[in-house]
């Protein structure tokens, strides 16, 4: 009898040890899974940051971010909708276009209004195949569960992110903490690309020369420039434009700028960017070309520009010396390396031209 009791006690102890071991193992697995999710989240953040740094348009960046979300989380559908100040627009989605009207009007749905007000996510799902999600109109089979995340920048509501699945209860066990982190990174990306979006749309054309303004270089122009590792930036200034305006009249000064611009436009390849930087200063970007390769071309342009005769528009003097002037250029060049600040290079070139002697008419490399 005593031996049987001893065996029972030993078995209970073994069972207790196994239970404790299983509990410990379960905790370690949970911790491991948590670490894996954290690493996964960090990797996604890194991918987001890499995407922001790419020389692509805002739309391309947001669509790539959406693709990362679909790939990493294995969800079937992901849609990012943003209010642009006038209307709600879909910035990224992999849902068929016939459903876009529904997706960009989710803010009107009663089921999501509380989520928008409280800034908390909303999870909805169906329990039977015959049911449909509240916001669905004519569709039944596309989505059977969804998570809705309102997006805020500095406490201002700017839109929402919604992920959907064709499976019922697809997100029952999904870690919403990680998804909240992802949501915040979507907001960060949207916030960071706002400046780029402004730059891509702020450029304008100069009415005299029909050239883009300097902003074009930092927006749409930059994606062409950054197709190459290195490029050459040439900035030049009509140094005697004030003298032309004073002696020959303002119309003559405008004419000098127009004739010079037309000559340069005809001389350069369409692959290169030519913009009116500011006033009498202009910029040519030779994408993918070294300075040594463009110096000869710039010399010829300078010679031809300085042969242009600008006629007097105010005086009735008959002598040629009093009736015409030639524009004079001061030119400076520098290298630009992809990934560095283009605006910094242009500022350096502009500072050189502004500080140079008024009579300087050279081609310098800095």
């Amino acid at each position: 009898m005593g031996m049987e009791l001893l065996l029972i006690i030993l078995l209970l102890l073994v069972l207790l040890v196994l239970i404790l071991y299983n509990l410990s193992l379960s905790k370690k697995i949970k911790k491991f899974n948590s670490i894996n999710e954290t690493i996964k989240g960090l990797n996604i953040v890194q991918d987001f940051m890499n995407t922001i740094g790419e020389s692509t348009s805002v739309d391309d960046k947001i669509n790539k971010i959406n693709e990362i979300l679909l790939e990493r989380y294995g969800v079937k559908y992901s849609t990012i909708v943003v209010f642009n100040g006038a209307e709600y627009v879909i910035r990224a989605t992999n849902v068929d276009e016939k459903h876009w009207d529904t997706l960009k009007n989710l803010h009107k749905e009663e089921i999501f209004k509380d989520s928008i007000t409280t800034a908390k996510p909303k999870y909805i799902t169906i329990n039977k195949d015959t049911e449909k999600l509240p916001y669905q109109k004519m569709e039944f089979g596309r989505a059977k569960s969804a998570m809705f995340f309102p997006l805020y920048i500095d406490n201002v509501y700017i839109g929402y992110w919604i992920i959907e699945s064709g499976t019922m209860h697809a997100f029952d066990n999904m870690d919403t903490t990680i998804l909240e982190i992802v949501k915040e990174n979507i907001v960060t990306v949207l916030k960071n690309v706002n400046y780029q979006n402004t730059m891509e749309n702020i450029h304008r054309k100069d009415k005299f020369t029909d050239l883009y303004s300097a902003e074009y270089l930092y927006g749409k122009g930059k994606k062409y420039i950054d197709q190459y590792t290195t490029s050459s930036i040439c900035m030049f200034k009509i140094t005697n434009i004030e003298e032309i305006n004073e002696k020959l009249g303002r119309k003559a000064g405008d004419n000098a700028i127009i004739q010079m611009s037309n000559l340069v436009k005809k001389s350069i390849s369409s692959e290169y960017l030519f913009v009116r930087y500011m006033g009498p200063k202009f910029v040519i970007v030779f994408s993918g070309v070294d300075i040594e390769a463009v110096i000869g071309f710039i010399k010829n342009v300078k010679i031809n520009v300085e042969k242009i005769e600008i006629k007097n528009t105010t005086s009735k003097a008959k002598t040629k010396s009093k009736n015409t002037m030639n524009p004079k250029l001061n030119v400076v060049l520098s290298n630009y390396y992809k990934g560095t600040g283009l605006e910094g290079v242009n500022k350096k070139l502009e500072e050189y031209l502004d500080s140079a002697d008024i009579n300087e008419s050279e081609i310098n490399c800095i």
Side-chain angles (χ1 to χ4, degrees):
M1 187 70 179
M3 183 62 70
E4 290 177 353
L5 182 61
L6 182 62
L7 285 172
I8 291 171
I9 292 171
L10 285 173
L11 287 172
L12 288 172
L13 287 172
V14 170
L15 183 61
L16 181 62
V17 169
L18 287 174
I19 290 171
L20 291 173
Y21 174 75
N22 284 335
L23 288 172
S24 175
L25 185 61
S26 177
K27 288 181 180 178
K28 287 180 180 178
I29 291 172
K30 285 182 179 178
K31 185 176 181 181
F32 178 75
N33 288 337
S34 177
I35 291 171
N36 270 350
E37 286 297 320
T38 301
I39 292 171
K40 183 179 179 180
L42 290 173
N43 286 337
I44 289 175
V45 172
Q46 183 60 53
D47 287 343
F48 281 5
M49 293 303 103
N50 291 340
T51 301
I52 293 174
E54 292 177 358
S55 299
T56 56
S57 70
V58 169
D59 287 338
D60 287 341
K61 288 179 180 179
I62 295 176
N63 277 296
K64 185 170 181 179
I65 285 164
N66 206 45
E67 289 170 7
I68 292 170
L69 295 172
L70 290 163
E71 180 185 344
R72 294 300 183 88
Y73 284 98
V75 296
K76 191 167 185 180
Y77 304 109
S78 175
T79 302
I80 299 170
V81 178
V82 175
F83 183 64
N84 67 3
E87 62 181 344
Y88 284 81
V89 294
I90 292 177
R91 299 305 305 268
T93 188
N94 66 321
V95 178
D96 191 282
E97 190 173 353
K98 64 184 178 182
H99 302 302
W100 286 9
D101 280 342
T102 298
L103 289 172
K104 67 183 181 181
N105 285 291
L106 295 182
H107 58 285
K108 297 178 181 178
E109 297 290 333
E110 285 297 328
I111 197 165
F112 296 129
K113 286 183 178 180
D114 185 58
S115 175
I116 293 171
T117 303
T118 60
K120 293 180 180 179
K122 179 74 175 181
Y123 175 35
I124 55 176
T125 186
I126 60 172
N127 296 307
K128 299 177 183 178
D129 283 329
T130 54
E131 297 176 346
K132 65 178 181 178
L133 296 174
Y135 62 86
Q136 293 178 320
K137 307 303 178 186
M138 303 300 293
E139 50 179 329
F140 281 88
R142 185 182 68 82
K144 296 179 180 179
S145 53
M147 288 196 75
F148 177 93
F149 297 87
L151 304 176
Y152 282 79
I153 291 180
D154 299 330
N155 296 319
V156 177
Y157 171 68
I158 59 138
Y160 49 86
W161 168 45
I162 185 169
I163 57 175
E164 301 169 290
S165 173
T167 305
M168 291 183 284
H169 297 278
F171 306 123
D172 285 5
N173 299 315
M174 184 165 281
D175 187 348
T176 57
T177 304
I178 296 296
L179 287 177
E180 281 287 334
I181 293 172
V182 173
K183 181 202 75 173
E184 290 306 316
N185 281 287
I186 291 173
V187 170
T188 300
V189 170
L190 291 172
K191 191 174 182 178
N192 283 322
V193 297
N194 272 346
Y195 171 74
Q196 182 184 344
N197 189 56
T198 301
M199 293 307 298
E200 286 182 358
N201 293 287
I202 199 174
H203 63 265
R204 61 193 185 282
K205 279 195 172 183
D206 176 60
K207 66 179 181 179
F208 290 113
T209 62
D210 199 38
L211 296 174
Y212 282 117
S213 60
E215 290 82 6
Y216 183 80
L217 293 177
Y218 309 125
K220 290 187 177 180
K222 197 169 187 296
K223 71 178 181 180
Y224 298 113
I225 300 170
D226 282 351
Q227 290 178 358
Y228 303 90
T229 305
T230 60
S231 298
S232 296
I233 311 292
C234 169
M235 184 180 290
F236 58 88
K237 178 180 180 180
I238 303 178
T239 57
N240 62 339
I241 192 68
E242 291 182 4
E243 185 181 3
I244 291 173
N245 287 337
E246 183 181 344
K247 293 183 177 180
L248 305 184
R250 185 60 183 260
K251 287 185 179 179
D254 292 341
N255 190 40
I257 289 173
I258 292 168
Q259 287 197 53
M260 181 278 300
S261 300
N262 289 338
L263 188 152
V264 175
K265 279 190 284 187
K266 290 178 182 178
S267 302
I268 66 172
S269 167
S270 59
E271 296 177 10
Y272 306 137
L273 302 182
F274 178 37
V275 303
R276 185 171 186 180
Y277 189 76
M278 187 180 295
K281 292 188 283 284
F282 296 78
V283 168
I284 305 174
V285 180
F286 297 92
S287 304
V289 183
D290 294 330
I291 286 180
E292 291 76 14
V294 303
I295 288 179
F297 170 78
I298 293 299
K299 284 181 179 177
N300 288 332
V301 168
K302 185 175 184 297
I303 289 170
N304 290 328
V305 168
E306 293 179 346
K307 287 180 179 178
I308 296 173
E309 288 191 349
I310 307 302
K311 295 181 180 180
N312 195 324
T313 60
T314 58
S315 175
K316 295 182 180 180
K318 296 180 180 181
T319 60
K320 185 177 178 180
S321 60
K322 292 181 180 180
N323 266 313
T324 63
M325 290 181 67
N326 304 95
K328 297 295 179 184
L329 301 185
N330 198 22
V331 185
V332 62
L333 297 101
S334 184
N335 285 312
Y336 165 71
Y337 300 94
K338 178 181 177 180
T340 60
L342 178 58
E343 64 279 4
V345 175
N346 286 333
K347 184 178 180 182
K348 178 178 68 173
L349 298 177
E350 184 179 24
E351 287 175 348
Y352 178 88
L353 290 177
D354 287 345
S355 62
D357 187 280
I358 189 66
N359 296 313
E360 181 179 303
S361 181
E362 305 290 343
I363 297 176
N364 294 288
C365 300
I366 60 174

